[in-house]
Amino acid sequence: MKLHQGMGPNSYRVRIFLKEKAIEVPMVEVDFAKGEHRAPDFLKLNSLGQIPVLELDDGTIITESVAICRYFEEAQPEPPLFGSDAVSRAKVEMWNRRAELVIFATIGNVALHSDAFFKDRLTQFPAFAETERQAVPKKWAWLDRELADGRPFLAGDNFSVADITAGVCDWLGEVFGMEIPASLKNVQRWNERVRSRPSWNA
């Protein structure tokens, strides 16, 4: 088994997840600067030329960060990071999707439509990137209101993959100059709690 990964939020999500599970997997660094994601051998693993990619011992290929995390959740259920019963699993799924669709997508659109790295991947619209950049603080403000009930983590009392996703949103925002507003005390407390975990150095 090996994980093809590199720089970027989705590989980071998987590395954090693995550390939380105390699972060690051999890793193959994919260097985007050298175009290794476009090499024929890599495109055989993932025709989209994206990371991360999990390659199992029997040759099975799993792509997409959440799918890879789900594989490891099934392989090693403890500690549960996707919930432990019907209600908690549904809430983790709900909050992971909210983090992806509300915050991750907004920050990601700024990167996709403003950074030269992505100019060959899609038609960029700088005005859209600026609109999305202006929307980022509002997205965090929404989460701040949601966390006003004092719960420690997004889906409740327990740390989950939803916290990994949202925490990586903050990391990605910092990379592109979109930090969480200091005035959002509930989000700041949650973020400090999440990013103080040892796994965050993955």
Side-chain angles (χ1 to χ4, degrees):
M1 178 189 298
K2 52 191 171 184
L3 181 70
H4 302 262
Q5 59 87 45
M7 290 294 295
N10 290 309
S11 289
Y12 193 21
R13 280 206 274 183
V14 174
R15 292 197 306 270
I16 294 168
F17 192 92
L18 290 172
K19 280 216 168 184
E20 288 286 339
K21 291 279 190 181
I23 297 173
E24 293 188 7
V25 177
M27 297 193 182
V28 178
E29 191 79 13
V30 179
D31 192 332
F32 275 65
K34 295 179 179 178
E36 292 178 354
H37 60 300
R38 296 196 190 103
D41 286 347
F42 185 79
L43 291 174
K44 290 177 183 178
L45 300 175
N46 185 355
S47 59
L48 294 174
Q50 298 171 355
I51 52 174
V53 175
L54 180 64
E55 184 176 0
L56 302 184
D57 291 340
D58 66 0
T60 298
I61 299 299
I62 303 171
T63 69
E64 306 302 329
S65 57
V66 175
I68 292 170
C69 290
R70 284 191 179 278
Y71 169 82
F72 286 113
E73 180 85 349
E74 293 293 326
Q76 183 173 307
E78 296 296 330
L81 296 177
F82 279 90
S84 56
D85 57 30
V87 171
S88 64
R89 289 188 188 101
K91 294 196 77 172
V92 169
E93 182 73 20
M94 177 183 83
W95 278 103
N96 194 54
R97 288 294 287 159
R98 282 181 155 190
E100 287 185 322
L101 295 174
V102 177
I103 304 174
F104 201 166
T106 306
I107 296 172
N109 281 332
V110 176
L112 287 171
H113 289 273
S114 66
D115 195 279
F117 179 80
F118 299 106
K119 64 182 177 61
D120 296 326
R121 179 171 164 181
L122 78 168
T123 302
Q124 292 182 313
F125 293 94
F128 175 58
E130 185 55 33
T131 298
E132 292 287 86
R133 182 183 293 275
Q134 293 175 14
V136 170
K138 298 175 184 177
K139 306 300 185 180
W140 286 118
W142 159 76
L143 186 59
D144 192 75
R145 293 190 298 273
E146 289 287 337
L147 291 171
D149 61 5
R151 67 184 186 273
F153 299 108
L154 292 194
D157 292 333
N158 299 311
F159 179 83
S160 74
V161 69
D163 299 291
I164 295 174
T165 296
V168 169
C169 289
D170 174 48
W171 170 81
L172 185 62
E174 288 180 348
V175 170
F176 289 95
M178 294 174 283
E179 292 80 4
I180 296 172
S183 60
L184 302 179
K185 301 303 182 184
N186 299 318
V187 170
Q188 292 289 355
R189 281 193 291 269
W190 160 82
N191 191 42
E192 183 178 345
R193 183 179 299 114
V194 168
R195 295 186 71 168
S196 66
R197 299 174 74 89
S199 61
W200 227 255
N201 295 319

